[in-house]
Amino acid sequence: MSGNVEHNSRRGSKSAAPSPVLLKICDVIKEEVDWLWFQRIPKGKLTIIEGDPGQGKSWLSLAITSAVTCGTHFPGQPPRKEIIPADVLLLAAEDGAADTIRPRLEVMGANLERVSILLAVKDSEGQERHLSLVEDLSAVDKALSEGQYGLVIVDPLNAYLGTQLDTHKDAAMRGVLTPLTRLAEKYNIALVCIRHLTKSAREKTIYRGQGSIAYTAAARVVHLVGTSPDNKEERVMVCTKNNLCPLPPSFAFEISGTEFKWKGEVDVDVERLLKADKDGRRTALENAMDFLSEALAERPRPAKDVMADAEHAGISERTLKRAKKELNVQANREGGSKGHWIWSLPVDVKESKSEEDDIWTSLEKSPEESQKAKMSNSDTSEQMTLLDCLPPPQE
């Protein structure tokens, strides 16, 4: 008898199995999509604006900020009786508040009283640190609860994902983007995140953004920003994904000195925009250098993973090697002689040549020469480990 009691006690101590949370569709009240910018930026959902550096994504986000704080109509938006001004919360990791953000907003006529920048978060000991959407979403929630916000801009999104999250894994990214989107839904605000593109011209548009495809999958609307193929002085915003309505017409804007101007609808599709951005502008080495800078910007990464991503982006091994040398990427072995190589960006930009560069060079020799070079060094385990993570020389 006591044995049965003990057995039942052990069973009772186990955690209860998770129970389902169900919603009957018949209980759902139908709603129309609430738009911040008609057919371009919805409220309560995630919108991504992506493009290469220097194409005006941040300018565009501040122009949107200005319109929201002043309650003005967006271009191409159906007239409404009244647009109520709203607050805007900025998470801006790249542009300075004093020398960039405020001057631009002033020129655009924004209501500066309605714009706040979330600079950092404080821990329990009062120490400030950079905000991570992985760990500090509650701080964003608290900030939104204390204002009359209509828009949150995260520029760029990858700068607020912490140091441990692997942005190339779908499950990891969905674990961040899903609760972030729910927060936008909770307050019925527009959530706009800025993302840089990779440099590969071989991939479809939806795969061009940095990191996992989960970014694009989570967003209800995605816009691509680039140089107009018809006028190099203009930038064009092309909608590449819209789950809420038909794709709206592309829209052009111009940045002249310190002024931002809306130009109107244009007949430019994504293929023309990407072709204009590609033609004659970048060499393979420049693309590979940008790829490496982006791939290692957040944290050091295993060499195998970087090389696999480079191959997927259409960058050859030889070009990746040249880019690695130009950027002076550092290679360090972790885990002893049986460990793996980790690549990282250098602390400074001084020219140096790592021991791994010699191994790269040996790969250009014949198979016999490569094997001889690999075994000639007294400390062969480090070189063999690196060679094992690279494709073998061709016979």
Side-chain angles (χ1 to χ4, degrees):
M1 185 72 175
S2 61
N4 290 336
V5 171
E6 182 180 355
H7 176 70
N8 292 335
S9 176
R10 286 198 300 266
R11 290 182 58 186
S13 64
K14 292 183 179 179
S15 299
S19 58
V21 178
L22 302 177
L23 174 65
K24 289 186 176 295
I25 293 297
C26 62
D27 296 331
V28 176
I29 300 176
K30 292 190 296 183
E31 296 178 350
E32 296 291 331
V33 177
D34 192 4
W35 296 96
L36 179 74
W37 184 356
F38 184 64
Q39 295 187 335
R40 291 182 171 88
I41 300 179
K43 292 183 180 181
K45 305 182 188 301
L46 171 62
T47 298
I48 289 179
I49 297 177
E50 57 189 13
D52 287 328
Q55 292 300 310
K57 301 186 299 298
S58 295
W59 275 97
L60 177 60
S61 68
L62 292 181
I64 296 170
T65 295
S66 178
V68 171
T69 62
C70 296
T72 56
H73 286 278
F74 284 99
Q77 186 169 347
R80 289 188 278 179
K81 292 182 179 180
E82 182 182 10
I83 300 179
I84 300 175
D87 298 340
V88 177
L89 182 64
L90 300 180
L91 279 67
E94 296 180 343
D95 292 326
D99 58 17
T100 303
I101 296 176
R102 175 166 182 156
R104 289 179 180 178
L105 288 175
E106 284 182 338
V107 172
M108 294 176 183
N111 182 346
L112 302 184
E113 293 288 336
R114 287 191 170 274
V115 183
S116 297
I117 301 177
L118 207 171
L119 295 175
V121 293
K122 287 185 178 181
D123 60 24
S124 58
E125 298 179 355
Q127 299 296 316
E128 291 189 1
R129 59 178 172 80
H130 185 68
L131 179 138
S132 165
L133 293 174
V134 179
E135 302 173 354
D136 307 316
L137 195 58
S138 60
V140 181
D141 192 342
K142 186 175 187 301
L144 293 176
S145 69
E146 296 173 350
Q148 300 297 318
Y149 289 97
L151 172 65
V152 173
I153 293 177
V154 185
D155 184 11
L157 176 57
N158 276 19
Y160 293 94
L161 297 179
T163 59
Q164 303 300 320
L165 186 73
D166 189 341
T167 60
H168 296 269
K169 292 185 177 180
D170 286 10
M173 285 308 306
R174 290 180 188 275
V176 177
L177 296 178
T178 298
L180 181 61
T181 302
R182 285 176 180 167
L183 194 60
E185 183 178 2
K186 173 182 177 181
Y187 291 100
N188 193 34
I189 60 173
L191 173 62
V192 176
C193 294
I194 307 299
R195 182 167 73 144
H196 297 312
L197 291 179
T198 62
K199 301 304 177 181
S200 172
R202 300 184 182 184
E203 299 177 345
K204 294 181 179 180
T205 307
I206 61 171
Y207 297 104
R208 287 286 311 279
Q210 288 182 350
S212 165
I213 189 64
Y215 287 89
T216 302
R220 299 299 83 195
V221 180
V222 179
H223 297 286
L224 175 67
V225 175
T227 302
S228 170
D230 302 321
N231 184 348
K232 299 303 180 184
E233 301 301 318
E234 292 183 358
R235 301 291 183 264
V236 178
M237 180 179 72
V238 178
C239 188
T240 60
K241 174 188 174 180
N242 197 321
N243 288 113
L244 306 175
C245 69
L247 296 180
S250 301
F251 212 93
F253 60 91
E254 180 179 319
I255 302 169
S256 178
T258 59
E259 294 187 6
F260 179 99
K261 298 178 181 178
W262 297 109
K263 302 298 291 186
E265 295 180 358
V266 291
D267 185 18
V268 176
D269 59 21
V270 63
E271 287 77 16
R272 288 187 64 208
L273 189 66
L274 289 176
K275 186 175 186 301
D277 189 53
K278 172 188 172 185
D279 287 349
R281 295 209 315 122
R282 307 190 62 81
T283 65
L285 176 59
E286 289 174 328
N287 287 341
M289 290 174 65
D290 283 341
F291 165 82
L292 265 183
S293 296
E294 295 167 355
L296 301 176
E298 298 179 32
R299 67 184 71 85
R301 295 182 61 199
K304 283 185 177 181
D305 292 350
V306 177
M307 287 185 281
D309 290 345
E311 181 180 3
H312 180 67
I315 299 173
S316 70
E317 178 185 311
R318 183 178 294 274
T319 303
L320 185 66
K321 166 202 165 182
R322 293 169 58 205
K324 176 180 174 292
K325 183 176 181 180
E326 288 291 330
L327 293 173
N328 190 25
V329 170
Q330 305 298 297
N332 297 287
R333 187 182 62 195
E334 290 187 355
S337 61
K338 296 183 179 180
H340 56 280
W341 283 94
I342 299 294
W343 284 2
S344 61
L345 293 177
V347 177
D348 55 66
V349 295
K350 295 179 180 179
E351 292 292 332
S352 65
K353 184 179 175 104
S354 69
E355 185 178 7
E356 188 186 358
D357 289 329
D358 296 327
I359 304 172
W360 273 103
T361 303
S362 73
L363 293 176
E364 300 176 359
K365 302 177 182 179
S366 66
E368 294 77 16
E369 291 174 323
S370 297
Q371 183 68 14
K372 181 178 179 181
K374 183 175 77 169
M375 301 299 298
S376 63
N377 193 296
S378 59
D379 184 12
T380 60
S381 60
E382 177 173 327
Q383 294 182 340
M384 292 177 67
T385 302
L386 175 61
L387 286 173
D388 289 340
C389 80
L390 299 176
Q394 298 296 319
E395 295 294 335

